[in-house]
Amino acid sequence: MRADRATASSAARPGARPLAAGSRPHEIRLIGGQWKRTRIAVPDRPGLRPTPDRVRETLFNWLGQDLSGWRCLDAFAGTGALGFEAASRGAREVLLVESDAALVERLLALKARLGADAVQIRRGDGVAALRAAAPRSLDLILLDPPFDAAALYAQALPAAAAALSGGGFLYLEAPRAWAADALAAAGLALHRHLKAGAVHAHLLVAVPA
């Protein structure tokens, strides 16, 4: 959901062209759990493109619909849809990290509207948050950095691998499929993969040291 990527169309399709200046914000909806059908406004911010509905639905089908007790971190939160989807399905702790101050305000407002006590919002750097997480402490990491920020991927992947619990999962959204050797270099292995338009969705697991 990162705020540095191409803006979504009203259908949130991958690879959509940015909205013109002055265009009205559109909306996406949470697709599962206690807040199913909750609308989230998508403002006209440079590069904001939420994860497509189909991809979110597939991801949580892979994970199972009950995330009760899970500890999660959404490192590049954007609209917060991925993190709120996890909380909607019972995750115990969900930390949303976002660098854009205006988007942080929207995340705080959505948290208050839903009464989402399990969700914490932090303005900051996603890679730094991953590095600060306790080793092997997170059950789910949601990693959706800017598609054009290769350096962020290189920094975030090994930090995320170190923070994953033994049975944890890392969701990686990217403009290309990641090769097995590149993932292995970061301490990760592919569990599931989906291509939807311009989006490659990966579900990864940590490789034991």
Side-chain angles (χ1 to χ4, degrees), residues 135-163:
R136 309 302 177 195
S137 63
L138 296 173
D139 303 296
L140 176 63
I141 296 173
L142 301 161
L143 191 60
D144 188 10
F147 274 7
D148 59 354
L152 275 183
Y153 283 92
Q155 296 167 21
L157 284 171

Side-chain angles (χ1 to χ4, degrees), residues 59-74 82-83 85-95 117-120 137-142 164-171 191 203-205:
L59 169 62
F60 288 96
N61 284 338
W62 286 344
L63 294 171
Q65 297 299 324
D66 184 1
L67 274 57
S68 297
W70 288 34
R71 299 185 69 237
C72 309
L73 191 158
D74 187 349
L82 282 173
E85 291 278 11
S88 184
R89 291 164 169 79
R92 175 167 58 95
E93 298 177 18
V94 181
L95 174 61
D117 294 336
V119 176
Q120 299 299 316
S137 63
L138 296 173
D139 303 296
L140 176 63
I141 296 173
L142 301 161
L164 276 181
S165 66
F169 294 99
L170 166 60
Y171 170 71
H191 181 64
L203 191 62
L204 310 173
V205 295

Side-chain angles (χ1 to χ4, degrees), residues 42-207:
V42 180
D44 185 6
R45 303 288 293 172
L48 183 62
R49 184 191 58 77
T51 299
D53 290 356
R54 175 191 169 192
V55 176
R56 279 186 285 128
E57 182 176 15
T58 299
L59 169 62
F60 288 96
N61 284 338
W62 286 344
L63 294 171
Q65 297 299 324
D66 184 1
L67 274 57
S68 297
W70 288 34
R71 299 185 69 237
C72 309
L73 191 158
D74 187 349
F76 304 92
T79 63
L82 282 173
F84 280 101
E85 291 278 11
S88 184
R89 291 164 169 79
R92 175 167 58 95
E93 298 177 18
V94 181
L95 174 61
L96 306 182
V97 181
E98 173 54 51
S99 61
D100 184 304
L103 291 176
V104 169
E105 290 300 316
R106 287 178 173 271
L107 293 172
L108 290 168
L110 180 58
K111 168 184 163 70
R113 173 158 64 98
L114 295 176
D117 294 336
V119 176
Q120 299 299 316
I121 314 295
R122 180 186 302 169
R123 184 183 179 192
D125 176 75
V127 173
L130 290 167
R131 289 173 174 165
R136 309 302 177 195
S137 63
L138 296 173
D139 303 296
L140 176 63
I141 296 173
L142 301 161
L143 191 60
D144 188 10
F147 274 7
D148 59 354
L152 275 183
Y153 283 92
Q155 296 167 21
L157 284 171
L164 276 181
S165 66
F169 294 99
L170 166 60
Y171 170 71
L172 171 66
E173 191 168 314
R176 63 177 177 84
W178 275 68
D181 56 348
L183 292 172
L188 297 160
L190 182 65
H191 181 64
R192 297 284 183 90
H193 173 262
L194 167 72
K195 183 179 186 299
V199 171
H200 286 265
H202 310 71
L203 191 62
L204 310 173
V205 295
V207 176

